[in-house]
Amino acid sequence: MALKIFNVLGREKQEFTPLNPGFVNMYVCGPTTYDWSHLGHAKNYVNFDVIVRYLRFSGYNVLYVQNITDVGHLLETDEDRVIKAARKLQVKPMQVVEEYTRYYFEDMDALGVTRPDISPRASAHIPEQIKMIQTLIAKGHAYEVNGSVYFDVTSAADYGKLSNRKLEKQEAGTREVVRDDKRNPEDFALWKKAEPEHILRWDSPWSEGFPGWHIECSAMAKKYLGDTFDIHGGGIDNLFPHNESEVVQSECANDAPFARYWMLGGSLTVDGVKMSKSLRNFVRARDALEKYRPQVIRMFAMSAHYASPVDYSDAGMQAAQAGWERLYGAVRLTRSMLGAAPASDDSNSFRDRLAAARAQFIEVMDDDFNMPKAVAVLQELTRDVNTLLNSGQAVGRPVLEAIESTYTDLGGTVLGIIPAGEAVTSGDSAREAGLIQLLIEMRTAARKAKNFSESDRIRDELAKLGVVLEDRADGTIWRAT
RNA sequence: GGCGACGUGGCCAAGUGGUAAGGCAAAGCUCUGCAAAAGCUUCAUUCGCCGGUUCGAAUCCGGCCGUCGCCUCCA
């Protein structure tokens, strides 16, 4: 079974064949770091994280580039959003960028999102952007007016092919407003001359100014991945104009196809409306992390196919949490049983069940990264694992290890929802575990003596402290809530 | 208005021609001293509505209704 990807370019599911066998060059549009990351970012970057993890799990050598936008991303009012934030906070623009870039990585790290291999910043690639703009001017795809440079969308026959937009046949100026000095209303800025109060500014052949928003991705993708590369990811909300502009300017400048596969993630919504900063309906990623474990947020992000929207709600998060706890409960039970398991081949036939789960997992992930179905595969496996482990029949160490590694590989390495283990390392945790074990033994003695008021008191008091006891045929185990 | 996505049980959701995965919630049961955890059972003759194609459609085609996204602020 070969990997298939729904390619937004052409809007069909296609077999994935990398440009160079065994290697995947991938670019994903990153955030503009002038404010906190919210769950919308978390959803999208968790999805792409799983995509990258799965590609690597499948044996591909992935080069993953994700930019940090720190300049040129203007508001509708033509204000630079970074400068605006800096003015509000009374700090230098680059301080804003530094601070929120740091927070962004902190939040993504906490969510278990693997860092991109390269995180290039727009402001560090001004020369590359200027060079690309010069190429576009030389080829007649861009023009300079009053120190600013615009891309002429009528110069490219296939402009609009990604978002399926066609230029309206109309003459410039017939619209009510033709902004700036553009020849066509649809032309977009490659370089903008800076007004005196605009602090973020660089020298260029045309003026002291700053690059447009779209050119950074084209320039940095070219620099690190080449003219043509395999996968370009991002959020569906940036399909137009951002992604469309990237495609047209890159292909015009490079005379080569740009990204071969486009993968765009669905938006996170709240009550059916997109979570966004401007609507002020967002939940910061770090606030969500205070309330829910990172694995639960990842489960939630994977509750629908990556290209579909996901609606945020407490009920949705709680469903994700309940589902996760059942999965993780099976893993925890497996690990606790490993401690005293015999090195026998008891229950060895269960290996077939594990192999089937692996095969199913790969099959559904190969089908355009069907994460909800991949989770379902683990959930079905979990039912059988629980049945086996609670059956009372002997289970040998090799099988337990095979169960553990199945969860670790599929749920851990690929999906990032199964932690590697709760290693008790610090002195305090080891002491705590010892004390809990002592209380468990005291309770066991009380139960044997049928002193249930005493045994229930120990259980209830521990529960109040966040330690839940579970009585099993082979003894009592505990877990922290 | 243009472009695009979508509408599946109480909720979330998979499913692109062969007779409805999975999770959450709910109810009953088993296990337990009681719990917890786990397992079992029940829970859509039906996939927004109306037509059509077909031996057969949630899946294909047409129309209608509704929701959402983008159309130079947004991952």
Side-chain angles (χ1 to χ4, degrees), chain A residues 224-294:
Chain A
Y224 299 107
L225 300 174
D227 291 346
T228 303
F229 57 94
D230 298 299
I231 298 173
H232 192 308
I236 188 72
D237 51 347
N238 275 337
L239 174 62
F240 189 88
H242 183 63
N243 299 148
E244 191 70 63
S245 304
E246 278 183 77
V247 173
V248 74
Q249 69 200 359
S250 286
E251 298 193 339
C252 286
N254 302 333
D255 288 322
F258 190 49
R260 302 170 62 240
Y261 299 86
W262 279 84
M263 302 177 68
L264 300 176
S267 300
L268 185 74
T269 59
V270 181
D271 295 327
V273 180
K274 193 176 81 167
M275 179 178 286
S276 72
K277 288 166 186 171
S278 53
L279 288 176
R280 320 196 87 234
N281 63 345
F282 62 90
V283 176
R284 296 195 312 169
R286 62 179 54 198
D287 290 333
L289 280 161
E290 298 242 317
K291 219 170 153 187
Y292 302 100
R293 318 178 63 124

Side-chain angles (χ1 to χ4, degrees), chain A residues 350-359 381 385 399 402-403 406 410:
Chain A
F350 197 73
R351 287 169 168 280
D352 293 342
R353 178 67 187 85
L354 294 170
R358 263 181 200 269
L381 172 68
V385 167
V399 174
I403 293 171
T406 300
L410 309 183

Side-chain angles (χ1 to χ4, degrees), chain A residues 305-338:
Chain A
H305 185 262
Y306 72 84
S308 300
V310 173
D311 198 66
Y312 175 82
S313 65
D314 281 332
M317 290 299 291
Q318 270 151 26
Q321 171 150 321
W324 178 81
E325 279 173 358
R326 181 159 155 274
L327 282 187
Y328 187 56
V331 178
R332 187 167 36 216
L333 180 56
T334 304
R335 287 175 180 163
S336 76
M337 286 174 76
L338 262 172

Side-chain angles (χ1 to χ4, degrees), chain A residues 1 26 267 384:
Chain A
M1 262 301 278
M26 181 162 169
S267 300
D384 293 341

Side-chain angles (χ1 to χ4, degrees), chain A residues 357-413:
Chain A
R358 263 181 200 269
Q360 283 164 15
F361 184 91
I362 288 165
E363 190 182 328
V364 301
M365 285 296 280
D366 270 349
D367 185 11
D368 199 25
F369 308 95
N370 195 331
M371 300 171 207
K373 214 167 174 181
V375 171
V377 168
L378 290 184
Q379 270 154 340
E380 286 176 82
L381 172 68
T382 296
R383 186 185 56 236
D384 293 341
V385 167
N386 279 325
T387 299
L388 173 72
L389 300 188
N390 291 311
S391 65
Q393 64 178 286
V395 183
R397 188 174 184 84
V399 174
L400 289 169
E401 280 169 350
I403 293 171
E404 211 273 341
S405 68
T406 300
Y407 280 106
T408 303
D409 291 347
L410 309 183
T413 306

Side-chain angles (χ1 to χ4, degrees), chain A residues 16 18 20 22-26 55 60-64 225 230-231:
Chain A
F16 177 69
N20 299 305
F23 292 84
V24 176
N25 276 4
M26 181 162 169
L55 288 169
Y60 289 108
N61 189 329
V62 182
L63 178 58
Y64 180 23
L225 300 174
D230 298 299
I231 298 173

